[in-house]
Amino acid sequence: MQSNLSIIILAAGKGTRMKSSIPKVLHKMSGKEMLYYSIEEAKKLSNDIHVVLYHQAELVQSSMEKYFQDIQYHIQDHEKYPGTGGAVMGITPKNEKVLVLNGDMPLIEAEELKQLTQDDNTHQAQNQKLTMSVLNLDCADGYGRVIIEKGKVTKIIEQKDCSSYELDIVTANAGIYCFDTKFLLESLPKLSNDNAQSEYYITDLVEIAVDSDLSIKPVVVKEENFKGVNSKFDLANAEVIHQNRIKTNFLKAGITMKLPDTIYIEHGVLIEGETILENGVTLLGNSKISNSIIKTNSIVEDSILENSDIGPMARIRPLSILKDTHIGNFVEVKKSKLTGVKAGHLAYLGDSCIDEGTNVGAGTITCNYDGINKHKTIIGKNVFIGSDTQLVAPVTIEDNAMIAAGSTITNDVKSGDLALSRTKQKTIAGFFHKFFKQSKN
Ligand code: UD1
Ligand code: CA
């Protein structure tokens, strides 16, 4: 936290190139909206955070309020003051310095931003009222070009305003700036919209600073982290980079992964202990996995796994808690608490609570939904549930009970009892031969 720093995040843009009715900054990367990441990183640096909105402002604000309190939202006067310069007009940051971030740069990290925000105690710093992020590229297509004369930044020219000579410049404006707040507030009224897009450009503040004999400090940043997301193509590429970061952290912490490129882990998932993730595993939401083995192509969403193994091809849906449990292939678990349970194959266990030592046979289904409401299935300790059982909830099976294979259980079963509900088998001797002989005639 830097006590002299305020932050403004620009998120008013529509995001036309996303070709979507959802505002750009609400598109998700690793399970969270792009703007979520900008705010999360900003909060590590400052407690005075302003977010500028315009397009679908209410939706963007309410989406962020699910995660963050104490953020100030501003609606840009987009009709009169369009553009990145217009976006910061009318905001009064309370601290001495203000960092301006873009809501469509979900890969920036607080640690890296410190290069722009931390105090510079050199002599020449006195005259510096603006620090800007710069990219050295092979081709700066799509970016504003940074004009450097005699080693000093003098101007930023937007691509649409560039001459053919200026288009060849490969030093690009990464779009993140740290201003002296007083300089920013005094200079904004001097911006004009006399340019190709008839917008108020924040980038023109560079020229205004130079005209007042102030120097600009350029900080060269890594392209990968400062990439703006403007299209679905950019979003997909950003997510690959983000996924690699998430997985690298877990690998370094001692988690085993087979073919990590095929594994998808959302931001917010916790993994610890001796955990193995096989190829194709998907871990979503706020799942917490400890000392467990997740086999090929299994999905875990918003659930807790402890000392358990699941899959291949198991699906653990939200609000499940599995401890010391074995879940085999094609088993779906939802909102259930399983402790010391074995469910080896092909089952649906929803809204249930199953206790230690219980074996759930293949094809077992908790019939939890009556078309209107969901009901609970409670199964005690050391219960043996034969294959192809339907447990029509609400229903309770007490400890040490047995259910015969193929049963439909509609009544509670007491401890020690066997429940069986199937029609008695009838066998007709020689029927096969009689039947096919008749058909041929
Ligand atoms: C901007 C810079 C460009 C830089 C590039 C880096 C300007 C004029 N240009 O261009 O020099 O190379 O970023 O990625 O600043 N926004 C608003 N209100 C507006 C317009 C934009 O809040 O009226 C927000 C957008 O939501 C976005 C950010 O500002 O988060 C940047 O806007 P965008 O239109 O993407 O700017 P670029 O054309 O990429
Ligand atoms: Ca952009």
Side-chain angles (χ1 to χ4, degrees):
M1 194 68 66
Q2 208 177 313
S3 61
N4 66 346
L5 185 71
S6 293
I7 296 181
I8 299 175
I9 303 174
L10 307 185
K14 192 172 175 184
T16 314
R17 285 168 284 176
M18 295 301 270
K19 301 199 182 355
S20 166
S21 58
I22 299 167
K24 170 154 88 171
V25 292
L26 292 189
H27 284 271
K28 288 183 177 176
M29 177 184 85
S30 304
K32 293 277 194 303
E33 298 82 352
M34 283 200 266
L35 183 56
Y36 168 93
Y37 295 103
S38 303
I39 298 177
E40 188 180 53
E41 293 308 296
K43 278 179 78 89
K44 294 178 187 169
L45 297 171
S46 167
N47 55 17
D48 183 41
I49 298 169
H50 305 256
V51 175
V52 184
L53 303 174
Y54 178 70
H55 288 284
Q56 293 182 264
E58 269 174 39
L59 177 62
V60 178
Q61 181 172 341
S62 63
S63 304
M64 289 303 112
E65 280 170 346
K66 281 189 283 186
Y67 307 113
F68 305 106
Q69 285 76 48
D70 60 41
I71 303 294
Q72 299 176 60
Y73 298 90
H74 304 262
I75 308 291
Q76 182 179 353
D77 184 351
H78 205 271
E79 308 304 321
K80 278 204 204 131
Y81 299 104
T84 48
V88 286
M89 290 176 186
I91 298 175
T92 316
K94 76 173 190 206
N95 296 314
E96 190 188 325
K97 288 183 180 188
V98 55
L99 177 71
V100 177
L101 300 179
N102 287 349
D104 65 355
M105 289 187 179
L107 294 169
I108 47 159
E109 289 182 322
E111 211 39 54
E112 201 175 5
L113 294 172
K114 284 183 186 164
Q115 303 174 74
L116 288 126
T117 62
Q118 260 163 6
D119 293 326
D120 185 339
N121 294 322
T122 58
H123 183 60
Q124 109 207 69
Q126 298 231 309
N127 219 18
Q128 265 164 12
K129 304 292 179 194
L130 166 54
T131 305
M132 63 172 291
S133 53
V134 167
L135 297 167
N136 288 324
L137 303 171
D138 294 331
C139 163
D141 189 41
Y143 289 97
R145 309 296 203 275
V146 181
I147 310 297
I148 299 174
E149 284 166 13
K150 294 183 193 145
K152 285 189 173 157
V153 175
T154 57
K155 213 180 193 180
I156 299 172
I157 307 181
E158 287 311 295
Q159 175 150 320
K160 287 185 179 145
D161 299 296
C162 279
S163 65
S164 59
Y165 163 75
E166 288 157 346
L167 283 176
D168 290 339
I169 295 170
V170 289
T171 311
N173 169 26
I176 289 181
Y177 324 85
C178 187
F179 293 96
D180 173 272
T181 304
K182 198 160 161 277
F183 165 75
L184 178 69
L185 297 179
E186 283 171 3
S187 307
L188 283 173
K190 298 181 192 164
L191 288 180
S192 99
N193 63 347
D194 181 15
N195 52 53
Q197 304 185 81
S198 300
E199 286 185 356
Y200 293 86
Y201 294 163
I202 199 169
T203 46
D204 285 347
L205 292 170
V206 166
E207 218 181 338
I208 290 172
V210 172
D211 287 347
S212 314
D213 280 331
L214 300 170
S215 66
I216 318 289
K217 183 182 169 192
V219 172
V220 177
V221 294
K222 275 212 288 244
E223 187 191 4
E224 182 177 280
N225 301 346
F226 282 73
K227 242 183 156 35
V229 170
N230 296 312
S231 64
K232 296 277 172 63
F233 179 75
D234 293 341
L235 182 63
N237 287 334
E239 191 169 52
V240 170
I241 295 168
H242 197 246
Q243 280 295 304
N244 282 336
R245 276 189 200 169
I246 290 175
K247 288 180 276 187
T248 302
N249 286 338
F250 284 126
L251 287 164
K252 284 184 180 163
I255 304 304
T256 304
M257 292 186 202
K258 299 203 168 145
L259 302 182
D261 280 350
T262 66
I263 295 174
Y264 183 82
I265 304 174
E266 284 189 348
H267 178 84
V269 171
L270 289 175
I271 315 172
E272 55 184 31
E274 299 263 339
T275 291
I276 301 174
L277 308 179
E278 291 187 357
N279 49 303
V281 162
T282 301
L283 304 177
L284 306 174
N286 290 318
S287 295
K288 191 173 173 210
I289 319 286
S290 45
N291 297 308
S292 293
I293 301 173
I294 316 228
K295 293 184 189 153
T296 306
N297 293 335
S298 295
I299 302 179
V300 180
E301 182 173 5
D302 278 315
S303 291
I304 299 173
L305 267 67
E306 251 179 66
N307 299 315
S308 295
D309 70 280
I310 68 160
M313 290 164 282
R315 182 168 182 212
I316 312 300
R317 290 173 50 207
L319 306 177
S320 299
I321 303 174
L322 275 55
K323 284 187 185 161
D324 306 315
T325 285
H326 162 70
I327 293 293
N329 49 192
F330 307 111
V331 175
E332 175 179 343
V333 179
K334 187 216 82 175
K335 205 177 178 185
S336 290
K337 187 172 182 218
L338 275 54
T339 311
V341 173
K342 285 190 179 128
H345 352 247
L346 299 149
Y348 171 61
L349 305 172
D351 301 292
S352 65
C353 182
I354 311 179
D355 217 336
E356 267 171 64
T358 289
N359 188 86
V360 177
T364 297
I365 291 174
T366 53
C367 309
N368 59 328
Y369 186 46
D370 61 13
I372 301 168
N373 294 308
K374 302 276 168 70
H375 302 282
K376 290 206 81 172
T377 301
I378 313 286
I379 305 174
K381 294 191 168 83
N382 305 317
V383 172
F384 181 87
I385 299 178
S387 298
D388 195 24
T389 292
Q390 299 104 57
L391 298 153
V392 182
V395 69
T396 299
I397 317 293
E398 292 183 4
D399 295 350
N400 307 312
M402 290 179 86
I403 311 290
S407 295
T408 302
I409 300 299
T410 50
N411 296 318
D412 292 353
V413 179
K414 288 260 169 289
S415 180
D417 290 355
L418 163 73
L420 148 151
S421 81
R422 57 189 186 214
T423 48
K424 218 172 179 178
Q425 184 173 325
K426 195 165 133 188
T427 309
I428 305 172
F431 184 83
F432 179 94
H433 301 290
K434 233 192 277 175
F435 180 79
F436 284 106
K437 205 185 253 168
Q438 253 173 21
S439 319
K440 273 183 195 158
N441 297 337

